[in-house]
Amino acid sequence: MATLAEPLVERYGKIVRIPPGPGRAIVSTDLHGHMEDFRRVVAAFERALTRGNAYLVFTGDLVHGPAYEKDSYPEHLGDYYEDETPLLMQSFVEVQKKHRGRVICLMGNHEHSHVGGPHTRKFHKTPSETEYFERKIGPKRTSEYQGLFRSFPLVCVAGKGVVITHGAPRVLDATFAEICAAEYGGHETKTIPQMLEVPILGELFWARAAGSLCVRRFLRRVEIEGQKNHIAIYGHDPVRRGWAREGAEQLCFSTSFALRNARKVYIELDLERVYPTVDELKLGREIRWLYPELGDQRKKK
Ligand SMILES: [Mn+2]
């Protein structure tokens, strides 16, 4: 069982660190209001906790989901689900409180839309899903969640050299100190192309893959206490088959949004293990099926 003597996450402004040592980190990408997938991820974390020290990292985009009826649900959005963002947010707050110092959510572009980013129009056009969600939950919850979103970090440095971000870290020049001090406000009126030009935020939220040299330099700049970083893992962009490696340093994976249930995966990191390249993240060890019982569907094609 986990005990209080185990190290909790360390905070350096917008960078958070899960220190190396015995234990696991469960990592989930974009849930977009999918309650069943959220429950499965939390269950994986709580199982890991019964075996020892454990942490839970969401890479952002907990909020906003599709607004289709079951019979008109588009093929490209994977298996049908109903957007339950309000319940998911409530549950996230409860889980974070229950396991204080062990549960992290990074800022995604959808959370950012509530605290200074451009409003997102992936699921609702007029009003945007940003306004749609705020109207649905009312002013009191809105300001509570805005406070929570402002507390979300941008980067998580975990174990022996794994860096976790929302999208691929296409961070050209920002230093450790600049990332720590990044501000979320002031981008409401920007278009997405304008937002992409913003250092740090624009460089962390939208890319599917970044140049290998750029990623390697970024990884080096966010090293803490001499612990070398080797790989970056992230979501944001759905990968239909579950995950995709990009060069030696990048792994994009999909836990929920826009996937068939059978292809959804989460990552379970060993916080004592060095992963020199993303090839060392193995299916069945670090890469885990979110719906292990759907093996038959995975065999079909
Ligand atoms: Mn995103």
Side-chain angles (χ1 to χ4, degrees), residues 47-83:
R47 276 197 305 274
L49 259 185
T50 65
R51 303 194 306 266
N53 191 22
Y55 303 85
L56 174 57
V57 182
F58 297 99
T59 65
D61 286 1
L62 295 176
V63 301
H64 306 163
Y68 296 98
E69 297 298 322
K70 193 168 187 175
D71 48 8
S72 57
Y73 196 76
E75 177 77 29
H76 74 273
L77 291 185
D79 280 329
Y80 171 78
Y81 75 101
E82 203 181 317
D83 171 26

Coordinates of all heavy atoms in Angstrom, one line a residue, residues 47-83:
R47 N -5.8 0.7 -9.0 CA -5.2 -0.7 -8.9 C -3.7 -0.5 -8.7 O -3.1 -1.2 -7.9 CB -5.4 -1.4 -10.2 CG -6.7 -2.1 -10.3 CD -6.7 -3.2 -11.5 NE -6.3 -2.6 -12.8 CZ -7.1 -2.1 -13.6 NH1 -8.4 -1.9 -13.3 NH2 -6.7 -1.6 -14.8
A48 N -3.0 0.4 -9.4 CA -1.6 0.6 -9.2 C -1.3 1.1 -7.8 O -0.3 0.7 -7.2 CB -1.1 1.7 -10.2
L49 N -2.1 1.9 -7.2 CA -1.9 2.3 -5.8 C -2.0 1.2 -4.8 O -1.3 1.2 -3.8 CB -3.0 3.3 -5.4 CG -2.7 4.8 -5.5 CD1 -4.0 5.5 -4.9 CD2 -1.5 5.2 -4.6
T50 N -2.8 0.1 -5.1 CA -2.8 -1.0 -4.2 C -1.5 -1.8 -4.2 O -1.2 -2.6 -3.3 CB -4.0 -2.0 -4.5 OG1 -3.8 -2.6 -5.8 CG2 -5.3 -1.3 -4.5
R51 N -0.7 -1.6 -5.3 CA 0.5 -2.3 -5.5 C 1.7 -1.5 -5.0 O 2.8 -2.0 -4.9 CB 0.8 -2.8 -6.9 CG -0.4 -3.6 -7.5 CD 0.1 -4.3 -8.8 NE 0.6 -3.4 -9.8 CZ -0.2 -2.8 -10.8 NH1 -1.4 -3.1 -10.8 NH2 0.4 -2.0 -11.6
G52 N 1.5 -0.2 -4.7 CA 2.6 0.6 -4.2 C 2.4 2.1 -4.6 O 1.2 2.5 -4.7
N53 N 3.4 2.8 -4.8 CA 3.3 4.3 -5.0 C 2.8 4.5 -6.5 O 3.2 3.8 -7.4 CB 4.7 4.9 -4.9 CG 4.7 6.4 -4.9 OD1 3.7 7.0 -4.6 ND2 5.8 7.0 -5.3
A54 N 1.9 5.4 -6.6 CA 1.3 5.6 -8.0 C 0.8 7.1 -8.1 O 0.5 7.8 -7.1 CB 0.2 4.7 -8.2
Y55 N 0.8 7.5 -9.4 CA 0.4 8.9 -9.8 C -0.5 8.7 -11.0 O -0.5 7.7 -11.7 CB 1.6 9.8 -10.1 CG 2.6 9.8 -9.0 CD1 3.6 8.9 -8.9 CD2 2.5 10.9 -8.1 CE1 4.5 9.0 -7.8 CE2 3.4 11.0 -7.1 CZ 4.4 10.0 -6.9 OH 5.3 10.1 -5.9
L56 N -1.4 9.8 -11.2 CA -2.3 9.8 -12.3 C -2.1 11.1 -13.1 O -2.2 12.1 -12.5 CB -3.7 9.6 -11.8 CG -4.9 9.7 -12.8 CD1 -4.7 8.7 -13.9 CD2 -6.2 9.5 -12.1
V57 N -1.8 11.0 -14.3 CA -1.6 12.2 -15.1 C -2.6 12.2 -16.3 O -2.6 11.3 -17.1 CB -0.2 12.3 -15.7 CG1 0.0 13.6 -16.5 CG2 0.9 12.1 -14.6
F58 N -3.4 13.3 -16.4 CA -4.2 13.5 -17.6 C -3.5 14.6 -18.4 O -3.0 15.5 -17.9 CB -5.6 14.0 -17.2 CG -6.4 13.1 -16.4 CD1 -6.5 13.2 -15.0 CD2 -7.1 12.0 -17.0 CE1 -7.2 12.3 -14.2 CE2 -7.9 11.1 -16.3 CZ -7.9 11.2 -14.9
T59 N -3.4 14.4 -19.7 CA -2.7 15.3 -20.5 C -3.5 16.5 -21.0 O -3.0 17.3 -21.8 CB -2.0 14.6 -21.7 OG1 -3.1 14.2 -22.6 CG2 -1.1 13.5 -21.3
G60 N -4.7 16.7 -20.5 CA -5.6 17.8 -20.8 C -6.7 17.4 -21.8 O -6.8 16.3 -22.2
D61 N -7.6 18.4 -22.1 CA -8.8 18.2 -22.8 C -9.7 17.1 -22.2 O -10.1 16.1 -22.8 CB -8.5 17.8 -24.3 CG -8.1 19.0 -25.2 OD1 -8.0 20.1 -24.6 OD2 -7.8 18.8 -26.4
L62 N -9.9 17.4 -20.9 CA -10.9 16.6 -20.1 C -12.3 17.0 -20.6 O -13.2 16.2 -20.6 CB -10.9 16.9 -18.6 CG -9.6 16.5 -17.8 CD1 -9.8 17.1 -16.4 CD2 -9.4 15.0 -17.8
V63 N -12.4 18.3 -21.1 CA -13.7 18.9 -21.3 C -14.1 19.0 -22.7 O -13.3 18.9 -23.6 CB -13.7 20.3 -20.7 CG1 -13.4 20.3 -19.2 CG2 -12.8 21.3 -21.4
H64 N -15.4 19.2 -23.0 CA -16.1 19.4 -24.3 C -16.1 18.1 -25.0 O -15.1 17.4 -25.2 CB -15.4 20.4 -25.2 CG -15.2 21.8 -24.5 ND1 -14.3 22.7 -25.0 CD2 -15.7 22.3 -23.4 CE1 -14.3 23.8 -24.2 NE2 -15.1 23.6 -23.2
G65 N -17.3 17.7 -25.5 CA -17.5 16.5 -26.2 C -18.5 16.6 -27.4 O -19.2 17.7 -27.5
P66 N -18.6 15.6 -28.2 CA -19.5 15.6 -29.3 C -21.0 15.8 -29.0 O -21.4 15.4 -27.9 CB -19.3 14.2 -30.0 CG -18.2 13.6 -29.3 CD -17.9 14.3 -28.0
A67 N -21.7 16.4 -29.9 CA -23.2 16.6 -29.6 C -24.0 15.9 -30.7 O -24.8 16.6 -31.3 CB -23.4 18.1 -29.6
Y68 N -23.8 14.7 -30.9 CA -24.6 13.9 -31.9 C -25.5 12.9 -31.2 O -25.1 12.3 -30.2 CB -23.7 13.1 -32.8 CG -22.8 14.0 -33.7 CD1 -21.5 14.3 -33.3 CD2 -23.3 14.6 -34.9 CE1 -20.6 15.1 -34.1 CE2 -22.4 15.4 -35.7 CZ -21.1 15.6 -35.3 OH -20.3 16.4 -36.1
E69 N -26.6 12.6 -31.8 CA -27.4 11.5 -31.4 C -26.7 10.2 -31.8 O -25.9 10.2 -32.8 CB -28.8 11.5 -32.0 CG -29.6 12.7 -31.6 CD -29.9 12.8 -30.1 OE1 -30.1 11.7 -29.5 OE2 -29.9 13.9 -29.5
K70 N -27.1 9.1 -31.2 CA -26.4 7.8 -31.5 C -26.5 7.4 -33.0 O -25.5 7.0 -33.6 CB -27.0 6.7 -30.6 CG -26.1 5.4 -30.7 CD -26.5 4.5 -29.6 CE -25.5 3.3 -29.6 NZ -25.8 2.4 -28.5
D71 N -27.7 7.7 -33.6 CA -27.9 7.2 -35.0 C -27.3 8.1 -36.0 O -27.2 7.8 -37.2 CB -29.3 6.9 -35.3 CG -30.3 8.0 -34.9 OD1 -29.7 9.1 -34.4 OD2 -31.5 7.8 -34.9
S72 N -26.8 9.3 -35.6 CA -26.2 10.2 -36.6 C -24.7 10.4 -36.2 O -24.0 11.4 -36.7 CB -26.9 11.6 -36.7 OG -27.0 12.2 -35.4
Y73 N -24.2 9.6 -35.3 CA -22.8 9.8 -34.8 C -21.8 9.4 -35.9 O -21.8 8.4 -36.5 CB -22.6 8.8 -33.6 CG -21.4 9.1 -32.8 CD1 -21.4 10.2 -31.9 CD2 -20.2 8.4 -32.8 CE1 -20.3 10.5 -31.1 CE2 -19.1 8.7 -32.1 CZ -19.2 9.7 -31.2 OH -18.1 10.0 -30.4
P74 N -20.9 10.4 -36.2 CA -20.0 10.2 -37.4 C -19.0 9.1 -37.1 O -18.4 9.0 -36.0 CB -19.4 11.5 -37.6 CG -19.6 12.3 -36.4 CD -20.7 11.7 -35.6
E75 N -18.7 8.3 -38.1 CA -17.7 7.2 -38.1 C -16.4 7.7 -37.6 O -15.7 7.0 -36.8 CB -17.6 6.7 -39.6 CG -16.6 5.6 -39.8 CD -17.1 4.3 -39.4 OE1 -18.3 4.0 -39.4 OE2 -16.2 3.4 -39.0
H76 N -15.9 8.9 -38.0 CA -14.6 9.3 -37.7 C -14.4 9.6 -36.2 O -13.3 9.8 -35.7 CB -14.1 10.5 -38.5 CG -14.8 11.8 -38.2 ND1 -16.0 12.2 -38.7 CD2 -14.4 12.8 -37.3 CE1 -16.3 13.3 -38.2 NE2 -15.4 13.7 -37.4
L77 N -15.5 9.7 -35.4 CA -15.4 9.9 -34.0 C -15.4 8.6 -33.1 O -15.5 8.7 -31.9 CB -16.5 10.8 -33.5 CG -16.5 12.3 -34.0 CD1 -17.5 13.1 -33.4 CD2 -15.1 12.9 -33.7
G78 N -15.1 7.5 -33.8 CA -15.0 6.2 -33.1 C -16.3 5.7 -32.5 O -17.3 5.9 -33.1
D79 N -16.2 5.0 -31.4 CA -17.5 4.5 -30.8 C -18.3 5.6 -30.2 O -17.7 6.5 -29.5 CB -17.1 3.4 -29.8 CG -16.8 2.1 -30.5 OD1 -17.4 1.8 -31.6 OD2 -16.0 1.3 -29.9
Y80 N -19.6 5.5 -30.3 CA -20.5 6.5 -29.7 C -20.3 6.6 -28.2 O -20.2 5.6 -27.5 CB -21.9 6.1 -30.0 CG -23.0 7.0 -29.3 CD1 -23.2 8.2 -29.8 CD2 -23.6 6.5 -28.2 CE1 -24.2 9.1 -29.2 CE2 -24.5 7.3 -27.5 CZ -24.8 8.6 -28.0 OH -25.6 9.4 -27.3
Y81 N -20.4 7.9 -27.8 CA -20.6 8.1 -26.3 C -21.3 9.4 -26.2 O -21.3 10.2 -27.1 CB -19.2 8.1 -25.6 CG -18.4 9.4 -25.8 CD1 -18.3 10.4 -24.8 CD2 -17.6 9.5 -27.0 CE1 -17.5 11.5 -25.0 CE2 -16.8 10.7 -27.1 CZ -16.8 11.7 -26.2 OH -16.0 12.8 -26.3
E82 N -21.8 9.6 -25.0 CA -22.5 10.9 -24.7 C -21.6 11.8 -23.9 O -21.0 11.3 -22.9 CB -23.8 10.5 -23.9 CG -24.9 11.6 -24.0 CD -26.1 11.1 -23.1 OE1 -26.4 9.9 -23.1 OE2 -26.6 12.0 -22.4
D83 N -21.5 13.0 -24.3 CA -20.6 14.0 -23.6 C -21.2 14.2 -22.2 O -22.3 14.7 -22.0 CB -20.6 15.3 -24.4 CG -19.9 16.4 -23.6 OD1 -19.1 16.1 -22.7 OD2 -20.2 17.6 -23.9

